[in-house]
Amino acid sequence: MTKIPAGTEIAYTITYLEMTDAPAAAPALPDDVRLERCEQPPVWFFLSLYDAVGRMYEWVDKFNETTEAVKAFVQHPDVSLYVAYRHGWPAGFFQLDWRKAGICDLAYFGLVPEAIGGGFGGTLLRTAIATGWSRDGVKKMTVNTCTLDHPRALDLYKRMGFAPVRTEDHTRILTRDRDPSQFPA
């Protein structure tokens, strides 16, 4: 695949998915992975994780929000940020949003490029799903992904039990050069 330069308008599709039944318990994370729930995470910390995971996938929307709006989201009492540390550094994270009654939205999930292929992404996602369902009153879990995300993201969500419920087509101007051939396998 050829590199697409920043400034190019590209089309992409968002797929919205739902899970209406809680799955079996998640397997334990590998011994060398430590999962921590962040208490009142600072905006800079969230944005650094968001950028580390999403840089290759055009995750830029949170950078276009005000600091106050991002802070209100990441520090909301019904939003939780979990970071998976491996070898002493953040290898990935997930963020759960319970602000809508009966629904847990997996707002963000991903691994940093250096952790992709390390064998724990699926287990971390199952952990995120189990954590989302662990709150009383959850009747449905939601997530969305798009064709700008990792090429295997949609299939992974489906394998974990999410079912597509709708799609939306959009366009955007790339903020960074995009080289799909450099995505970690």
Side-chain angles (χ1 to χ4, degrees):
M1 300 180 146
T2 60
K3 185 162 80 170
I4 305 166
T8 302
E9 183 174 12
I10 62 167
Y12 67 100
T13 300
I14 300 172
T15 301
Y16 295 87
L17 302 101
E18 294 180 353
M19 178 186 291
T20 55
D21 293 309
L29 288 168
D31 288 341
D32 64 345
V33 175
R34 177 176 46 102
L35 185 67
E36 287 194 25
R37 182 177 176 275
C38 301
E39 301 284 335
Q40 298 292 305
V43 169
W44 67 264
F45 183 72
F46 167 75
L47 289 177
S48 68
L49 293 169
Y50 177 85
D51 184 56
V53 168
R55 175 176 289 267
M56 291 176 35
Y57 311 114
E58 199 65 18
W59 287 16
V60 296
D61 298 341
K62 287 295 182 189
F63 291 109
N64 295 325
E65 294 181 16
T66 65
T67 300
E68 294 77 21
V70 175
K71 181 178 180 180
F73 172 66
V74 301
Q75 293 187 0
H76 191 283
D78 289 323
V79 175
S80 293
L81 177 66
Y82 293 84
V83 180
Y85 290 89
R86 192 172 209 183
H87 310 298
W89 44 271
F93 79 100
F94 61 87
Q95 190 164 38
L96 301 171
D97 180 353
W98 292 280
R99 292 178 296 171
K100 291 183 183 173
I103 298 173
C104 177
D105 182 53
L106 178 55
Y108 293 100
F109 172 83
L111 304 177
V112 299
E114 297 83 359
I116 294 173
F120 79 99
T123 304
L124 183 61
L125 180 54
R126 285 194 265 321
T127 300
I129 293 167
T131 305
W133 281 99
S134 70
R135 190 176 275 202
D136 288 340
V138 173
K139 294 175 179 47
K140 174 171 61 175
M141 196 158 180
T142 61
V143 67
N144 71 70
T145 187
C146 75
T147 53
L148 296 173
D149 283 338
H150 192 284
R152 293 191 317 244
L154 180 58
D155 287 338
L156 179 61
Y157 289 129
K158 288 179 184 179
R159 279 197 326 271
M160 294 297 158
F162 286 96
V165 292
R166 77 182 201 291
T167 60
E168 292 178 0
D169 293 322
H170 296 272
T171 61
R172 78 168 7 169
I173 305 295
L174 290 178
T175 60
R176 299 179 175 104
D177 291 346
R178 186 169 174 84
D179 186 353
S181 69
Q182 293 183 346
F183 291 162

